């Protein structure tokens, strides 16, 4: 069964609206990540978290907030959605220690901002 | 900062052919190198990784990759591809002292019957 799940799987939002993407993992991993993927490109890191109640900025944090209320849950929040935030968003988790560089991904959320 | 370059955006082969997907990296320190696979509409899945030791690492489904320090490369290979290998393949690099991963732009592999 899937260890990293995301909801919703797809969403249509209006410009200026608020969007919340949710991620849940049952891997018992400490680290969680949010990436965005644009067509034909690799993944870019938005926010990540080492531990519950703490988040860190990634490479492209502008326009996004993150929340990690528990070890299992990690949310990505777009307070004022914009057209440029249309993309596929992936959540991932990884363990601490020697395998911290191996990440386990969710199925993705396809976001369309109109 | 680590960087990863995948020179081929698209590779098309026939079923049963061998294939090599190219990856070059830039980083001066000790690193982990990985390959991930992404089937259409799915999340990325870990294939294999290298840190030290034997430069040829084996992954699932007959994939292997070879590390070359002199060429700064970590190319992925498979001797005989199957149609189900059609996917996008991402090379990734991370420093051995943290959990940040930097992904290449991916290579789309199309396997024709």
């Amino acid at each position: 069964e899937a260890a990293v799940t995301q909801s919703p799987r797809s969403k249509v939002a209006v410009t200026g609206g608020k969007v919340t993407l949710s991620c849940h993992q049952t891997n018992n991993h400490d680290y969680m990540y949010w990436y965005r993927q644009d067509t034909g490109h690799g993944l870019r890191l938005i926010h990540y978290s080492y531990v519950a109640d703490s988040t860190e900025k990634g490479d492209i944090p502008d326009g996004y907030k993150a929340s990690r209320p528990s070890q299992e849950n990690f949310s990505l929040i777009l307070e004022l959605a914009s057209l440029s935030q249309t993309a596929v968003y992936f959540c991932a988790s990884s363990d601490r220690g020697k395998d911290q560089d191996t990440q386990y991904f969710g199925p993705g959320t396809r976001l369309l901002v109109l | 900062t680590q960087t990863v370059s995948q020179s081929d955006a698209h590779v098309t082969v026939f079923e049963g052919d061998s294939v090599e997907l190219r990856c070059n990296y830039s980083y001066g320190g000790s690193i982990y190198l990985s390959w991930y696979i992404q089937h259409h509409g799915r999340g990325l899945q870990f294939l294999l990784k290298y840190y030290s030791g034997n430069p040829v690492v084996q992954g699932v489904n007959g994939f292997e990759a070879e590390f070359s320090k002199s060429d700064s490369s970590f190319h992925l290979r498979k001797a005989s591809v199957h149609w189900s290998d059609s996917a996008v393949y991402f090379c990734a690099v991370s420093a051995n002292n943290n959990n940040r991963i930097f992904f290449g732009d991916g290579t789309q592999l199309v396997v024709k019957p």
Side-chain angles (χ1 to χ4, degrees):
Chain A
E1 59 205 65
V4 180
T5 55
Q6 295 181 232
S7 62
R9 291 296 313 277
S10 66
K11 183 172 180 65
V12 179
V14 295
T15 304
K18 182 176 180 178
V19 176
T20 300
L21 307 182
S22 300
C23 178
H24 179 79
Q25 57 105 352
T26 58
N27 293 323
N28 199 32
H29 287 165
D30 287 318
Y31 303 153
M32 295 187 74
Y33 313 82
W34 276 107
Y35 293 92
R36 67 175 280 171
Q37 183 179 39
D38 296 280
T39 303
H41 294 282
L43 279 68
R44 292 184 290 170
L45 183 65
I46 307 170
H47 285 287
Y48 60 104
S49 169
Y50 293 118
V51 68
D53 295 321
S54 177
T55 63
E56 307 289 335
K57 293 181 179 179
D59 299 319
I60 54 164
D62 293 345
Y64 302 94
K65 291 184 180 179
S67 172
R68 181 96 182 268
S70 64
Q71 186 193 40
E72 297 82 13
N73 295 294
F74 191 35
S75 298
L76 185 69
I77 302 139
L78 291 65
E79 295 278 4
L80 295 169
S82 67
L83 295 174
S84 64
Q85 292 177 312
T86 292
V88 180
Y89 292 85
F90 289 99
C91 176
S93 72
S94 71
D95 204 354
R96 64 170 63 242
K98 67 179 179 66
D99 286 329
Q100 64 182 335
D101 61 302
T102 301
Q103 296 186 4
Y104 297 83
F105 286 82
T109 295
R110 187 172 296 273
L111 176 65
L112 174 63
V113 182
L114 300 175
Chain B
T1 303
Q2 304 95 321
T3 63
V4 182
S5 172
Q6 294 182 245
S7 55
D8 299 314
H10 300 274
V11 172
T12 300
V13 296
F14 288 95
E15 201 165 28
D17 285 350
S18 63
V19 70
E20 179 178 84
L21 305 183
R22 302 171 60 82
C23 172
N24 291 89
Y25 66 91
S26 172
Y27 186 68
S30 298
I31 55 173
Y32 290 87
L33 291 159
S34 305
W35 278 95
Y36 286 76
I37 180 173
Q38 183 182 32
H39 289 286
H40 182 70
R42 308 278 295 276
L44 278 70
Q45 286 180 280
F46 171 77
L47 261 184
L48 48 77
K49 75 176 178 184
Y50 169 83
Y51 173 59
S52 65
N54 189 337
V56 179
V57 291
Q58 305 294 327
V60 296
N61 294 334
F63 285 98
E64 68 175 29
E66 183 168 6
F67 168 72
S68 171
K69 187 173 183 178
S70 60
D71 293 340
S72 297
S73 67
F74 189 56
H75 303 329
L76 181 70
R77 300 189 296 244
K78 186 168 182 178
S80 177
V81 294
H82 186 263
W83 64 266
S84 61
D85 293 325
S86 294
V88 181
Y89 292 79
F90 291 95
C91 184
V93 60
S94 63
N96 71 339
N97 60 349
N98 68 63
N99 60 316
R100 290 285 308 272
I101 293 181
F102 296 88
F103 291 90
D105 284 343
T107 296
Q108 173 137 32
L109 175 65
V110 174
V111 180
K112 293 187 173 182

PDB file of all heavy atoms in Angstrom, chain B residues 47-66:
ATOM      1  N   LEU B  47      15.533   4.042  -8.045  1.00  0.00           N
ATOM      2  CA  LEU B  47      16.037   2.898  -8.810  1.00  0.00           C
ATOM      3  C   LEU B  47      17.314   2.332  -8.195  1.00  0.00           C
ATOM      4  O   LEU B  47      17.420   1.131  -7.958  1.00  0.00           O
ATOM      5  CB  LEU B  47      16.367   3.332 -10.238  1.00  0.00           C
ATOM      6  CG  LEU B  47      15.374   3.057 -11.357  1.00  0.00           C
ATOM      7  CD1 LEU B  47      15.964   3.478 -12.686  1.00  0.00           C
ATOM      8  CD2 LEU B  47      14.960   1.585 -11.384  1.00  0.00           C
ATOM      9  N   LEU B  48      18.291   3.197  -7.995  1.00  0.00           N
ATOM     10  CA  LEU B  48      19.582   2.748  -7.458  1.00  0.00           C
ATOM     11  C   LEU B  48      20.391   3.968  -7.040  1.00  0.00           C
ATOM     12  O   LEU B  48      20.064   5.096  -7.398  1.00  0.00           O
ATOM     13  CB  LEU B  48      20.360   1.934  -8.506  1.00  0.00           C
ATOM     14  CG  LEU B  48      20.494   2.501  -9.916  1.00  0.00           C
ATOM     15  CD1 LEU B  48      21.524   3.611 -10.008  1.00  0.00           C
ATOM     16  CD2 LEU B  48      20.868   1.395 -10.906  1.00  0.00           C
ATOM     17  N   LYS B  49      21.483   3.694  -6.266  1.00  0.00           N
ATOM     18  CA  LYS B  49      22.358   4.796  -5.882  1.00  0.00           C
ATOM     19  C   LYS B  49      23.778   4.297  -5.686  1.00  0.00           C
ATOM     20  O   LYS B  49      24.024   3.106  -5.465  1.00  0.00           O
ATOM     21  CB  LYS B  49      21.863   5.494  -4.618  1.00  0.00           C
ATOM     22  CG  LYS B  49      22.089   4.737  -3.332  1.00  0.00           C
ATOM     23  CD  LYS B  49      21.633   5.612  -2.149  1.00  0.00           C
ATOM     24  CE  LYS B  49      21.790   4.865  -0.835  1.00  0.00           C
ATOM     25  NZ  LYS B  49      21.270   5.654   0.309  1.00  0.00           N
ATOM     26  N   TYR B  50      24.711   5.252  -5.758  1.00  0.00           N
ATOM     27  CA  TYR B  50      26.119   4.984  -5.544  1.00  0.00           C
ATOM     28  C   TYR B  50      26.671   5.988  -4.555  1.00  0.00           C
ATOM     29  O   TYR B  50      26.364   7.185  -4.620  1.00  0.00           O
ATOM     30  CB  TYR B  50      26.893   5.100  -6.861  1.00  0.00           C
ATOM     31  CG  TYR B  50      28.386   5.081  -6.654  1.00  0.00           C
ATOM     32  CD1 TYR B  50      29.059   3.878  -6.518  1.00  0.00           C
ATOM     33  CD2 TYR B  50      29.115   6.270  -6.537  1.00  0.00           C
ATOM     34  CE1 TYR B  50      30.418   3.854  -6.285  1.00  0.00           C
ATOM     35  CE2 TYR B  50      30.463   6.258  -6.299  1.00  0.00           C
ATOM     36  CZ  TYR B  50      31.119   5.052  -6.180  1.00  0.00           C
ATOM     37  OH  TYR B  50      32.470   5.041  -5.927  1.00  0.00           O
ATOM     38  N   TYR B  51      27.503   5.463  -3.653  1.00  0.00           N
ATOM     39  CA  TYR B  51      28.256   6.354  -2.783  1.00  0.00           C
ATOM     40  C   TYR B  51      29.748   6.032  -2.812  1.00  0.00           C
ATOM     41  O   TYR B  51      30.600   6.898  -2.952  1.00  0.00           O
ATOM     42  CB  TYR B  51      27.753   6.309  -1.340  1.00  0.00           C
ATOM     43  CG  TYR B  51      28.623   7.105  -0.403  1.00  0.00           C
ATOM     44  CD1 TYR B  51      28.815   8.470  -0.607  1.00  0.00           C
ATOM     45  CD2 TYR B  51      29.286   6.512   0.657  1.00  0.00           C
ATOM     46  CE1 TYR B  51      29.640   9.218   0.231  1.00  0.00           C
ATOM     47  CE2 TYR B  51      30.105   7.249   1.496  1.00  0.00           C
ATOM     48  CZ  TYR B  51      30.280   8.596   1.274  1.00  0.00           C
ATOM     49  OH  TYR B  51      31.103   9.333   2.096  1.00  0.00           O
ATOM     50  N   SER B  52      30.054   4.755  -2.669  1.00  0.00           N
ATOM     51  CA  SER B  52      31.463   4.360  -2.674  1.00  0.00           C
ATOM     52  C   SER B  52      31.557   2.894  -3.054  1.00  0.00           C
ATOM     53  O   SER B  52      30.547   2.211  -3.202  1.00  0.00           O
ATOM     54  CB  SER B  52      32.093   4.594  -1.301  1.00  0.00           C
ATOM     55  OG  SER B  52      31.497   3.756  -0.337  1.00  0.00           O
ATOM     56  N   GLY B  53      32.789   2.410  -3.223  1.00  0.00           N
ATOM     57  CA  GLY B  53      32.977   1.002  -3.517  1.00  0.00           C
ATOM     58  C   GLY B  53      32.891   0.709  -4.997  1.00  0.00           C
ATOM     59  O   GLY B  53      33.293   1.519  -5.838  1.00  0.00           O
ATOM     60  N   ASN B  54      32.351  -0.444  -5.329  1.00  0.00           N
ATOM     61  CA  ASN B  54      32.233  -0.881  -6.721  1.00  0.00           C
ATOM     62  C   ASN B  54      31.533   0.205  -7.539  1.00  0.00           C
ATOM     63  O   ASN B  54      30.408   0.595  -7.223  1.00  0.00           O
ATOM     64  CB  ASN B  54      31.436  -2.182  -6.778  1.00  0.00           C
ATOM     65  CG  ASN B  54      31.445  -2.818  -8.162  1.00  0.00           C
ATOM     66  OD1 ASN B  54      31.666  -2.142  -9.170  1.00  0.00           O
ATOM     67  ND2 ASN B  54      31.181  -4.107  -8.210  1.00  0.00           N
ATOM     68  N   PRO B  55      32.176   0.693  -8.594  1.00  0.00           N
ATOM     69  CA  PRO B  55      31.565   1.794  -9.359  1.00  0.00           C
ATOM     70  C   PRO B  55      30.327   1.374 -10.157  1.00  0.00           C
ATOM     71  O   PRO B  55      29.587   2.232 -10.629  1.00  0.00           O
ATOM     72  CB  PRO B  55      32.683   2.242 -10.294  1.00  0.00           C
ATOM     73  CG  PRO B  55      33.570   1.056 -10.427  1.00  0.00           C
ATOM     74  CD  PRO B  55      33.521   0.361  -9.097  1.00  0.00           C
ATOM     75  N   VAL B  56      30.115   0.083 -10.316  1.00  0.00           N
ATOM     76  CA  VAL B  56      28.919  -0.384 -11.014  1.00  0.00           C
ATOM     77  C   VAL B  56      27.905  -0.844  -9.965  1.00  0.00           C
ATOM     78  O   VAL B  56      28.184  -1.745  -9.174  1.00  0.00           O
ATOM     79  CB  VAL B  56      29.243  -1.542 -11.975  1.00  0.00           C
ATOM     80  CG1 VAL B  56      27.970  -2.030 -12.668  1.00  0.00           C
ATOM     81  CG2 VAL B  56      30.280  -1.099 -13.010  1.00  0.00           C
ATOM     82  N   VAL B  57      26.757  -0.207  -9.972  1.00  0.00           N
ATOM     83  CA  VAL B  57      25.722  -0.562  -9.006  1.00  0.00           C
ATOM     84  C   VAL B  57      24.526  -1.144  -9.745  1.00  0.00           C
ATOM     85  O   VAL B  57      24.166  -0.695 -10.830  1.00  0.00           O
ATOM     86  CB  VAL B  57      25.293   0.644  -8.152  1.00  0.00           C
ATOM     87  CG1 VAL B  57      26.409   1.036  -7.218  1.00  0.00           C
ATOM     88  CG2 VAL B  57      24.892   1.825  -9.016  1.00  0.00           C
ATOM     89  N   GLN B  58      23.928  -2.135  -9.118  1.00  0.00           N
ATOM     90  CA  GLN B  58      22.779  -2.809  -9.719  1.00  0.00           C
ATOM     91  C   GLN B  58      21.498  -2.261  -9.113  1.00  0.00           C
ATOM     92  O   GLN B  58      21.420  -2.003  -7.914  1.00  0.00           O
ATOM     93  CB  GLN B  58      22.865  -4.306  -9.450  1.00  0.00           C
ATOM     94  CG  GLN B  58      24.165  -4.958  -9.909  1.00  0.00           C
ATOM     95  CD  GLN B  58      24.331  -4.946 -11.410  1.00  0.00           C
ATOM     96  OE1 GLN B  58      23.354  -5.038 -12.150  1.00  0.00           O
ATOM     97  NE2 GLN B  58      25.566  -4.813 -11.878  1.00  0.00           N
ATOM     98  N   GLY B  59      20.485  -2.122  -9.969  1.00  0.00           N
ATOM     99  CA  GLY B  59      19.183  -1.690  -9.476  1.00  0.00           C
ATOM    100  C   GLY B  59      18.137  -2.738  -9.799  1.00  0.00           C
ATOM    101  O   GLY B  59      18.457  -3.872 -10.138  1.00  0.00           O
ATOM    102  N   VAL B  60      16.892  -2.332  -9.716  1.00  0.00           N
ATOM    103  CA  VAL B  60      15.798  -3.249 -10.002  1.00  0.00           C
ATOM    104  C   VAL B  60      15.592  -3.383 -11.501  1.00  0.00           C
ATOM    105  O   VAL B  60      16.042  -2.538 -12.283  1.00  0.00           O
ATOM    106  CB  VAL B  60      14.498  -2.782  -9.328  1.00  0.00           C
ATOM    107  CG1 VAL B  60      14.648  -2.806  -7.817  1.00  0.00           C
ATOM    108  CG2 VAL B  60      14.117  -1.383  -9.786  1.00  0.00           C
ATOM    109  N   ASN B  61      14.921  -4.471 -11.895  1.00  0.00           N
ATOM    110  CA  ASN B  61      14.518  -4.677 -13.291  1.00  0.00           C
ATOM    111  C   ASN B  61      15.668  -4.638 -14.284  1.00  0.00           C
ATOM    112  O   ASN B  61      15.488  -4.201 -15.427  1.00  0.00           O
ATOM    113  CB  ASN B  61      13.468  -3.649 -13.711  1.00  0.00           C
ATOM    114  CG  ASN B  61      12.162  -3.835 -12.948  1.00  0.00           C
ATOM    115  OD1 ASN B  61      11.850  -4.931 -12.493  1.00  0.00           O
ATOM    116  ND2 ASN B  61      11.418  -2.759 -12.797  1.00  0.00           N
ATOM    117  N   GLY B  62      16.867  -5.072 -13.879  1.00  0.00           N
ATOM    118  CA  GLY B  62      17.975  -5.182 -14.816  1.00  0.00           C
ATOM    119  C   GLY B  62      18.733  -3.902 -15.092  1.00  0.00           C
ATOM    120  O   GLY B  62      19.632  -3.873 -15.926  1.00  0.00           O
ATOM    121  N   PHE B  63      18.391  -2.823 -14.396  1.00  0.00           N
ATOM    122  CA  PHE B  63      19.130  -1.576 -14.572  1.00  0.00           C
ATOM    123  C   PHE B  63      20.432  -1.593 -13.778  1.00  0.00           C
ATOM    124  O   PHE B  63      20.500  -2.162 -12.706  1.00  0.00           O
ATOM    125  CB  PHE B  63      18.284  -0.380 -14.119  1.00  0.00           C
ATOM    126  CG  PHE B  63      17.196  -0.014 -15.089  1.00  0.00           C
ATOM    127  CD1 PHE B  63      15.907  -0.450 -14.896  1.00  0.00           C
ATOM    128  CD2 PHE B  63      17.486   0.775 -16.193  1.00  0.00           C
ATOM    129  CE1 PHE B  63      14.906  -0.112 -15.797  1.00  0.00           C
ATOM    130  CE2 PHE B  63      16.496   1.128 -17.100  1.00  0.00           C
ATOM    131  CZ  PHE B  63      15.193   0.674 -16.894  1.00  0.00           C
ATOM    132  N   GLU B  64      21.436  -0.961 -14.323  1.00  0.00           N
ATOM    133  CA  GLU B  64      22.673  -0.741 -13.605  1.00  0.00           C
ATOM    134  C   GLU B  64      23.228   0.619 -13.994  1.00  0.00           C
ATOM    135  O   GLU B  64      22.864   1.179 -15.029  1.00  0.00           O
ATOM    136  CB  GLU B  64      23.710  -1.827 -13.897  1.00  0.00           C
ATOM    137  CG  GLU B  64      24.245  -1.834 -15.309  1.00  0.00           C
ATOM    138  CD  GLU B  64      25.357  -2.864 -15.507  1.00  0.00           C
ATOM    139  OE1 GLU B  64      25.362  -3.896 -14.814  1.00  0.00           O
ATOM    140  OE2 GLU B  64      26.207  -2.607 -16.369  1.00  0.00           O
ATOM    141  N   ALA B  65      24.073   1.156 -13.145  1.00  0.00           N
ATOM    142  CA  ALA B  65      24.697   2.446 -13.434  1.00  0.00           C
ATOM    143  C   ALA B  65      26.162   2.369 -13.060  1.00  0.00           C
ATOM    144  O   ALA B  65      26.541   1.635 -12.137  1.00  0.00           O
ATOM    145  CB  ALA B  65      24.001   3.564 -12.663  1.00  0.00           C
ATOM    146  N   GLU B  66      26.966   3.132 -13.771  1.00  0.00           N
ATOM    147  CA  GLU B  66      28.399   3.122 -13.525  1.00  0.00           C
ATOM    148  C   GLU B  66      28.906   4.507 -13.216  1.00  0.00           C
ATOM    149  O   GLU B  66      28.702   5.457 -13.983  1.00  0.00           O
ATOM    150  CB  GLU B  66      29.158   2.553 -14.720  1.00  0.00           C
ATOM    151  CG  GLU B  66      30.668   2.456 -14.475  1.00  0.00           C
ATOM    152  CD  GLU B  66      31.394   1.633 -15.515  1.00  0.00           C
ATOM    153  OE1 GLU B  66      30.750   1.211 -16.506  1.00  0.00           O
ATOM    154  OE2 GLU B  66      32.600   1.403 -15.335  1.00  0.00           O
TER     155      GLU B  66
END
